[in-house]
Amino acid sequence: MAVTRTFSIIKPDATRRNLTGAVTKMLEEAGLRVVASKRIHMTREQAEGFYAVHKERPFFGELCDFMMSEPVVVQVLEGEDAVTRNRDIMGATNPADAAEGTIRKTHALSIGENTVHGSDSDENAAIEIAYFFKPEEIVG
Ligand code: UDP
């Protein structure tokens, strides 16, 4: 299996509850390495641009408001088959459906306030990493 990268966000519900370390520990224990990380407060432009794929969905406005409500931690994660590995440790979008031991089952509050974002394909990972990080900010 190839070593690849994925993009992660520790969302406002987690930073607000001081769970940055707890979430990062779960990512690391799943075999992912944090090769870039920064805490930012998203602007409306950043949130709407990042989630542009969802702009026709009924939850778009609420999702962008939530992502701008408190700081987030954006990260680049590296590991074997990083996208799939991260999706596995994140768990299902709705924490009620997430498997035991996943980040969302353990920490998420609701389908909206669900603690983490993770890219869903290698192609989107590359786009999302470039949206928030300059190449020199990633130190593998
Ligand atoms: N979301 C929401 N309501 C929904 C579905 C999604 O608020 O009914 C939010 C939720 O925060 C989710 C994000 O929109 O993480 C992106 O949705 P997606 O279906 O891409 O889920 P993910 O890839 O994050 O599991």
Side-chain angles (χ1 to χ4, degrees):
M1 202 72 79
V3 172
T4 58
R5 288 177 175 170
T6 191
F7 176 73
S8 169
I9 305 177
I10 301 176
K11 293 184 176 183
D13 66 281
T15 61
R16 187 175 75 225
R17 291 177 290 151
N18 210 20
L19 293 173
T20 299
V23 171
T24 302
K25 184 166 188 274
M26 292 178 81
L27 296 170
E28 290 177 339
E29 284 174 352
L32 294 161
R33 181 176 293 272
V34 180
V35 294
S37 184
K38 59 185 172 190
R39 181 174 164 99
I40 61 168
H41 203 140
M42 274 200 208
T43 62
R44 177 165 298 280
E45 188 185 10
Q46 277 178 313
E48 290 183 352
F50 183 73
Y51 281 117
V53 64
H54 291 308
K55 67 173 179 293
E56 306 305 332
R57 309 277 288 277
F59 56 82
F60 178 72
E62 202 179 329
L63 173 61
C64 292
D65 287 347
F66 167 58
M67 294 301 287
M68 297 162 47
S69 66
E70 300 270 351
V72 299
V73 178
V74 291
Q75 296 178 321
V76 181
L77 308 176
E78 190 175 87
E80 285 190 10
D81 202 6
V83 167
T84 304
R85 197 170 276 218
N86 186 40
R87 297 291 304 190
D88 287 348
I89 189 62
M90 285 165 61
T93 308
N94 186 344
D97 301 330
E100 287 298 332
T102 60
I103 293 170
R104 284 168 166 170
K105 181 70 175 185
T106 307
H107 293 298
L109 300 175
S110 66
I111 191 169
E113 299 201 35
N114 61 0
T115 310
V116 276
H117 165 85
S119 309
D120 62 4
S121 67
D122 287 347
E123 189 189 4
N124 283 338
I127 293 168
E128 293 174 357
I129 289 168
Y131 192 81
F132 285 106
F133 289 98
K134 300 189 186 101
E136 62 268 27
E137 292 179 306
I138 304 167
V139 184

